[in-house]
Amino acid sequence: MFADLIPQFGGLIWTILAFVLALSIIVAIHEYGHYIVGRWCGIKADVFSIGFGPILFSRMDRHGTRWQMAALPLGGYVKFRGDGNAASVGDDGTLEEMTPEERAQTMTGASLWRRAATVAAGPVFNFILSILLFAGMVMFLGRPTEMPTVGQTVLLPPEMIQLEPGDQILSIAGNPIETFADLNNVVRDLPSVPLLPYEVLRDGSVIEVEATPPMPARADTVQPRSAAWDIGMRPGDVILTAEGNPLYSFSDLQAVVKAADGETVTLTAWRDGEILDFILQPRMRDVPLPDGGFERRALIGITSSLAFEPATVRSGPIEAISFGGQQVWSILGRSLSSLGYIITGKISTCNLSGPIGIAQTSAVAASHGAATFIGFIALLSAAVGMLNLFPIPVLDGGHLVFHAYEAVRGKPPSDNAVRILMMIGIALMGALMVFALFNDLTCA
């Protein structure tokens, strides 16, 4: 069963490498947040580690911190001076021998606000990483221009007539188009025909041309562990027929899948000049709705794209940072909403992925190129930052709860209480990990 979960475009090694690279970047930024803010607050760190277990290499810096890489790259930690362990619980027995000045340089002896700032810095740095990555993408790769303009064409069968790079779409089948939002709004209502009349601005002149519908039945992405992925469909496949009937747009394919009501669907696809036949069975999935909530639908696991790459314009730093912040806020909102629906039983628990699912997704993202992989790291970093803020002992959010208790009561929780709560937190996180891994292995 496990072998069936490994993507075929590079196998197990590719999947592991992509996952480890993404996770290592996110963990390094998270732990560096703890480290650097702790240092700014006067708290000294003895060890900064990426990974656990046997040490592969290490070096000591001028601040007295040992930077190391360990053999198991599935996390990391910062061990501050005087800490009993990497979770900053208890002390290592050296505090009694320290002077007051030395104690102030430990997590135990530092003032409450310094400890809280150091703990909160990890998730905050994850959010900052996400914002900067999203911002960098629109600064260097650009965002689609407001006017719907063709940048580059995509690979389609030769019988499909495409627009030319630089064409600005003014109307499609009589529907005026002023923005990409207008284009997206009319796509579903366009007639199902092989060619549509376009009015475009080309080389300064308004002309009428015929071309393939703006959103053909082409797989832009294929989700891992989906019906389409499992039968060998891949990004770039153009679906020509479904149940023997020609498809001219992605809306046609969606209609066929919906009408099948979960029953098998026969597809014919074009891939780089080769004709392929597929038989697949749609799977029920919980799909988020624009106004909130979810709807359960039968899906095959592919997403569509336009018949061209939109022309782009690069954003300035302020606009880019604003865009990055909006993206992170949206990710957090959707994630919390999804989690709430899972807890209340409104959507399937299969929407919760574990390490295998995340590893697969990272490999798929890496196979799509650097931009997609960077976007995945940005998304995952925001999710990791959010997870670490949950008020569960052993997570950063749990430590912040302890600090809030100390702020209210004027003293920290007792060592015994902290140890018991930490054991509960470890048990909860362990159970969650096992449950998510069970989902990876059993959810279709």
Side-chain angles (χ1 to χ4, degrees):
M1 177 183 292
F2 180 80
D4 295 335
L5 296 174
I6 303 303
Q8 299 301 311
F9 57 80
L12 177 61
I13 294 178
W14 175 251
T15 300
I16 292 175
L17 287 176
F19 176 60
V20 168
L21 177 59
L23 184 63
S24 297
I25 292 172
I26 292 168
V27 168
I29 292 299
H30 179 96
E31 298 303 332
Y32 185 76
H34 290 314
Y35 163 78
I36 193 63
V37 172
R39 203 179 86 186
W40 291 341
C41 292
I43 302 173
K44 294 186 176 295
D46 289 335
V47 179
F48 184 106
S49 179
I50 299 299
F52 301 95
I55 299 172
L56 300 179
F57 62 88
S58 66
R59 72 172 183 86
M60 188 75 72
D61 70 9
R62 61 187 179 88
H63 299 288
T65 302
R66 186 174 74 248
W67 297 73
Q68 66 184 37
M69 180 73 72
L72 300 176
L74 299 177
Y77 62 90
V78 176
K79 183 179 180 299
F80 290 100
R81 186 154 301 174
D83 286 351
N85 50 52
S88 296
V89 176
D91 64 77
D92 59 3
T94 63
L95 292 178
E96 294 182 357
E97 302 173 0
M98 294 182 180
T99 65
E101 291 76 15
E102 291 174 330
R103 285 179 60 89
Q105 297 175 342
T106 68
M107 279 291 279
T108 301
S111 62
L112 178 59
W113 77 265
R114 296 176 191 272
R115 284 180 278 138
T118 301
V119 170
V124 169
F125 268 53
N126 280 134
F127 298 144
I128 292 174
L129 172 64
S130 296
I131 292 172
L132 292 179
L133 288 179
F134 283 127
M137 291 175 68
V138 298
M139 284 182 65
F140 295 102
L141 301 179
R143 299 173 64 181
T145 57
E146 184 176 355
M147 304 298 294
T149 304
V150 179
Q152 297 292 331
T153 57
V154 298
L155 190 61
L156 294 175
E159 63 269 20
M160 291 187 175
I161 300 176
Q162 302 189 63
L163 299 174
E164 296 183 3
D167 284 352
Q168 179 183 318
I169 302 173
L170 303 179
S171 71
I172 305 176
N175 297 283
I177 306 294
E178 296 184 358
T179 65
F180 272 106
D182 294 335
L183 179 58
N184 292 329
N185 289 335
V186 305
V187 161
R188 290 182 177 273
D189 298 326
L190 294 173
S192 179
V193 292
L195 296 174
L196 289 171
Y198 287 74
E199 186 180 53
V200 301
L201 179 63
R202 179 181 296 174
D203 298 328
S205 301
V206 177
I207 63 173
E208 292 186 359
V209 298
E210 284 193 329
T212 191
M215 191 172 288
R218 175 182 179 272
D220 182 49
T221 62
V222 182
Q223 298 171 1
R225 301 171 63 204
S226 67
W229 182 266
D230 289 347
I231 63 167
M233 295 189 72
R234 294 297 178 261
D237 288 353
V238 180
I239 299 96
L240 303 176
T241 69
E243 298 297 314
N245 299 313
L247 302 177
Y248 302 119
S249 69
F250 193 75
S251 297
D252 294 342
L253 176 61
Q254 290 177 310
V256 171
V257 172
K258 182 178 181 179
D261 196 25
E263 298 298 321
T264 58
V265 177
T266 301
L267 304 176
T268 299
W270 178 92
R271 180 188 296 171
D272 294 335
E274 183 181 2
I275 301 299
L276 305 172
D277 294 319
F278 298 105
I279 299 176
L280 77 170
Q281 185 167 13
R283 297 172 183 171
M284 299 306 297
R285 292 289 184 264
D286 297 300
V287 180
L289 300 175
D291 57 349
F294 289 80
E295 179 180 70
R296 198 156 181 79
R297 300 177 190 167
L299 301 176
I300 62 174
I302 68 174
T303 61
S304 63
S305 67
L306 294 171
F308 57 87
E309 296 289 342
T312 59
V313 59
R314 294 183 179 181
S315 300
I318 296 178
E319 182 184 3
I321 293 295
S322 175
F323 172 80
Q326 292 171 9
Q327 291 296 106
V328 171
W329 184 256
S330 176
I331 290 169
L332 298 181
R334 292 198 306 269
S335 299
L336 289 173
S337 174
S338 299
L339 183 60
Y341 278 97
I342 290 174
I343 293 174
T344 57
K346 294 181 179 179
I347 62 175
S348 170
T349 56
C350 285
N351 288 278
L352 181 65
S353 294
I356 295 176
I358 297 173
Q360 286 182 307
T361 304
S362 65
V364 171
S367 73
H368 280 65
T372 303
F373 189 56
I374 291 172
F376 170 75
I377 293 176
L379 186 153
L380 187 59
S381 181
V384 168
M386 180 192 72
L387 175 64
N388 271 277
L389 285 177
F390 286 174
I392 300 174
V394 85
L395 296 180
D396 294 329
H399 285 281
L400 291 174
V401 170
F402 294 155
H403 295 330
Y405 175 90
E406 181 178 350
V408 173
R409 293 293 303 273
K411 62 179 181 178
S414 67
D415 290 343
N416 286 336
V418 170
R419 289 191 180 93
I420 292 172
L421 290 172
M422 292 294 286
M423 291 177 61
I424 294 174
I426 291 172
L428 286 174
M429 293 305 298
L432 178 62
M433 182 64 69
V434 170
F435 180 73
L437 184 60
F438 177 79
N439 279 353
D440 287 340
L441 296 172
T442 60
C443 290

